[in-house]
Amino acid sequence: MANPKIAIIFYTTYGTNHQIALAAQEAAEAAGAEVRLRRAAETAPQSVVDGQEPWKAQLEKMKDIPEVSHDDMTWADGYFFSVPTRYGNLPSQMAAFIDTLGPLWQQGKLVNKTITATTSAQTAHGGREGTIQNLYKSAMHWGTIIVAPGYADEVKFEDGNPYGYSGTAGKFDDLGKKSVGFQAKRLVEITARLNG
């Protein structure tokens, strides 16, 4: 398979994981993938969103990005997830989408696809590794193949997280872009090998 299909699926409140997803999209396309950029639906009450101008502005910025669907999950050969951490776990918006995947799981439609994940948190030890690992636990139930970056590139010794890129919210820098670029390229390459 020369051109694997990669779904880049993210949730963001203030924009960090949107930036990560865009960097992943650029790298995956440069590596030869066909890409769909998708966002998890916002489930917070509109009154709550409207009460925080940066949150409201970010939603407006993403209004043209389609919400992720079951069709995107079946279409893709591999998944690149990016989510903020919520107490060491997934945000409820992404968890709500994942909770709908039972029918696809039961039909075996997620088996042998690939997955990699990234996250961000307000602090350096705000549950980053746990968030990625919790997402990977769901993928194991699906029969999806985890493509963690490990220490397969020098950039991983710089950013220090073998599970997937994790950064500080609001500070997606050049090191982050380099790390996400490597992770997305690795996902494309491994997916192409598995489906070749």
Side-chain angles (χ1 to χ4, degrees):
M1 174 180 295
N3 300 101
K5 295 177 287 189
I6 302 295
I8 297 173
I9 303 162
F10 73 98
Y11 173 75
T12 198
T13 306
Y14 304 114
T16 303
N17 290 277
H18 182 200
Q19 292 177 326
I20 291 169
L22 291 174
Q25 178 183 21
E26 182 179 351
E29 288 174 345
E34 183 181 348
V35 173
R36 286 187 184 179
L37 180 67
R38 298 291 187 262
R39 64 185 174 95
E42 182 56 73
T43 59
Q46 192 63 46
S47 60
V48 173
V49 174
D50 289 345
Q52 296 187 48
E53 192 55 42
W55 193 349
K56 183 178 174 184
Q58 181 61 38
L59 263 179
E60 176 65 22
K61 189 185 294 186
M62 301 182 303
K63 67 181 179 183
D64 294 331
I65 300 172
E67 292 177 355
V68 64
S69 69
H70 284 198
D71 176 67
D72 298 314
M73 297 297 287
T74 55
W75 168 86
D77 301 307
Y79 312 118
F80 187 110
F81 276 83
S82 187
V83 294
T85 184
R86 295 291 187 265
Y87 311 110
N89 216 325
L90 303 178
S92 61
Q93 292 85 347
M94 188 63 76
F97 172 70
I98 288 173
D99 283 350
T100 73
L101 297 178
L104 298 185
W105 164 75
Q106 289 174 331
Q107 297 170 50
K109 292 189 175 181
L110 306 175
V111 172
N112 294 336
K113 294 175 184 275
T114 57
I115 186 170
T116 199
T118 64
T119 191
S120 65
Q122 197 67 36
T123 61
H125 302 288
R128 296 175 183 186
E129 291 181 359
T131 297
I132 293 173
Q133 290 169 344
N134 284 327
L135 182 53
Y136 288 162
K137 285 181 200 174
S138 293
M140 285 187 254
H141 285 256
W142 304 338
T144 303
I145 299 163
I146 297 168
V147 181
Y151 289 102
D153 186 89
E154 287 297 318
V155 71
K156 298 309 297 175
F157 291 94
E158 293 180 64
D159 79 26
N161 191 338
Y163 305 102
Y165 169 74
S166 62
T168 303
K171 298 180 180 177
F172 186 55
D173 58 13
D174 289 340
L175 175 59
K177 290 174 189 170
K178 187 176 173 184
S179 182
V180 166
F182 165 70
Q183 191 168 342
K185 180 182 175 188
R186 177 170 164 77
L187 178 68
V188 172
E189 290 174 350
I190 298 301
T191 305
R193 285 188 208 174
L194 289 171
N195 292 282

